[in-house]
Amino acid sequence: MRVQPSDSKLTGLFLDMLAAEQGAGPNTLDAYRRDLTDFSEFLGRVGHSFADAETQILRDYLADLDSRGFKSTSVARRLSAMRHLYRFLLNERIRTEDPAAILSGPKRGRGLPKVLSIAHVDRMLSRAKELSEAEDASPSKRLRALRLYCLLEVLYATGLRVSELVALPRSAAKRDARMIVVRGKGNKERLVPLNEASRQAMADYLAATEAAKADKKNSVAASKWLFPSFGESGHLTRQHFARDLKELAVASGLQARLVSPHVLRHAFASHLLHNGADLRIVQTLLGHTDISTTQIYTHVVEERLKSLVRDLHPLAEK
């Protein structure tokens, strides 16, 4: 009788495939690992494993998620993880059938992304600039303020994912750089333009880090990263930037819960579309492989078209 690999072994093989064949990044791999570990623990409690679970057992797991209060979006994500896993097991001939193939996920409407107004973004940029120019700040505090201002300017100018932003190389801050090369999901590269404000913020921040080299204790100044850190990754973490951004939001008179790096990415896309940018161009700038992902912003385009007809059509009511 053939002994089937354990769930943990199969999870490892599956994640190796995602990394090698699909270029999945650390965050994607961690999300799959968490979801499949929870699924495996449920199967263990009912005396099953990945290798022998049938469709009804998978339905029981989805019902268990619902009883634990999981939102429909989270249940749908777990179902997606199971579907990917069982397609992999089928291809590897570990399973002879796919028990997840006929499962249907929870119905869910695609919510509109949270978006800050242009005035709100301007307020945050102004406050960040004030903090970076404070004359009474210590050198280390001024450097952190310049870093935050640079991060904010670059994020709003480019719409980068936060993982792409914090991992920018030091070479991205070249004085004559009009474009930066960004390595996104699936290890795919794309060119993203920089505006004058973001280039200046990067130049000012880089000059401050160069000045910090005079302090021999500051070894991060020689890092290959634009936003270095003493942590394991070698660069600023997503979580650290998110905390700094929320503190800036409060200092700008905004509610912290309304502000995050991803919300600013949404603001970048929505404000571009509102001002007439083409949806395909925004798709390219955001690094979306599929246009359907970018179409969450179509409400912005629709509102703009309505206003154009209302304001410019010769028969529109005045």
Side-chain angles (χ1 to χ4, degrees):
M1 182 178 178
R2 181 183 177 186
V3 178
Q4 295 290 358
S6 67
D7 285 358
S8 60
K9 177 69 173 177
L10 292 176
T11 298
L13 293 172
F14 172 64
L15 296 178
D16 288 344
M17 180 277 295
L18 288 179
E21 297 183 13
Q22 300 183 20
N27 298 331
T28 299
L29 297 176
D30 286 344
Y32 271 110
R33 184 179 290 105
R34 287 194 301 270
D35 290 349
L36 293 178
T37 296
D38 186 73
F39 177 40
S40 175
E41 289 173 352
F42 171 83
L43 292 177
R45 291 196 296 271
V46 297
H48 288 278
S49 66
F50 291 163
D52 63 20
E54 300 299 331
T55 299
Q56 185 55 51
I57 298 297
L58 272 60
R59 287 197 179 103
D60 292 343
Y61 174 62
L62 296 178
D64 179 69
L65 293 175
D66 185 62
S67 69
R68 284 192 270 161
F70 279 68
K71 294 181 180 179
S72 61
T73 51
S74 298
V75 175
R77 194 191 72 215
R78 297 290 174 95
L79 176 56
S80 176
M82 290 192 293
R83 284 173 173 157
H84 280 83
L85 171 70
Y86 281 110
R87 280 199 292 269
F88 167 74
L89 297 182
L90 194 62
N91 291 336
E92 295 296 314
R93 298 183 179 180
I94 295 170
R95 294 284 303 234
T96 57
E97 78 293 327
D98 182 353
I102 63 172
L103 291 177
S104 58
K107 294 182 179 179
R108 50 173 181 157
R110 192 158 195 176
L112 297 179
K114 295 179 183 177
V115 178
L116 292 171
S117 69
I118 295 175
H120 286 160
V121 177
D122 281 343
R123 194 190 303 178
M124 291 184 66
L125 285 168
S126 297
R127 182 57 179 156
K129 189 170 180 60
E130 287 175 6
L131 292 172
S132 71
E133 295 175 344
E135 295 182 357
D136 58 343
S138 65
S140 60
K141 189 173 182 179
R142 183 172 181 273
L143 185 59
R144 288 195 299 272
L146 281 167
R147 181 182 67 185
L148 180 57
Y149 178 57
C150 179
L151 284 160
L152 186 57
E153 280 284 10
V154 174
L155 177 54
Y156 186 54
T158 62
L160 297 183
R161 298 179 179 92
V162 63
S163 56
E164 297 167 346
L165 176 67
V166 297
L168 283 175
R170 198 173 184 83
S171 58
K174 292 179 180 177
R175 290 186 179 276
D176 58 347
R178 300 285 173 175
M179 310 276 284
I180 55 174
V181 178
V182 178
R183 192 177 297 277
K185 286 187 174 181
N187 216 27
K188 295 178 180 177
E189 291 185 344
R190 68 185 189 277
L191 282 172
V192 179
L194 294 170
N195 60 18
E196 180 58 36
S198 60
R199 288 199 302 271
Q200 187 60 54
M202 292 169 80
D204 292 343
Y205 167 67
L206 193 60
T209 60
E210 292 291 342
K213 286 183 179 180
D215 181 0
K216 294 182 180 180
K217 296 179 182 178
N218 193 343
S219 60
V220 298
S223 171
K224 68 175 183 177
W225 306 109
L226 180 57
F227 306 108
S229 168
F230 289 112
E232 183 179 347
S233 65
H235 58 70
L236 187 72
T237 64
R238 297 174 297 125
Q239 296 84 354
H240 192 145
F241 174 43
R243 288 196 300 270
D244 287 351
L245 199 57
K246 288 187 179 296
E247 290 178 4
L248 177 64
V250 173
S252 304
L254 303 176
Q255 296 182 51
R257 65 180 180 83
L258 300 178
V259 179
S260 72
H262 205 60
V263 167
L264 280 163
R265 175 171 157 88
H266 287 319
F268 161 82
S270 295
H271 297 169
L272 275 181
L273 289 167
H274 181 74
N275 287 315
D278 181 84
L279 192 65
R280 287 283 183 183
I281 298 298
V282 174
Q283 175 194 359
T284 301
L285 292 174
L286 292 176
H288 288 162
T289 303
D290 194 330
I291 188 65
S292 64
T293 309
T294 319
Q295 284 173 341
I296 59 173
Y297 300 107
T298 52
H299 69 288
V300 178
V301 179
E302 290 167 0
E303 287 301 317
R304 183 172 179 273
L305 290 175
K306 288 178 185 176
S307 66
L308 284 174
V309 172
R310 184 184 63 246
D311 298 338
L312 302 179
H313 195 282
L315 298 182
E317 294 183 7
K318 300 296 181 182

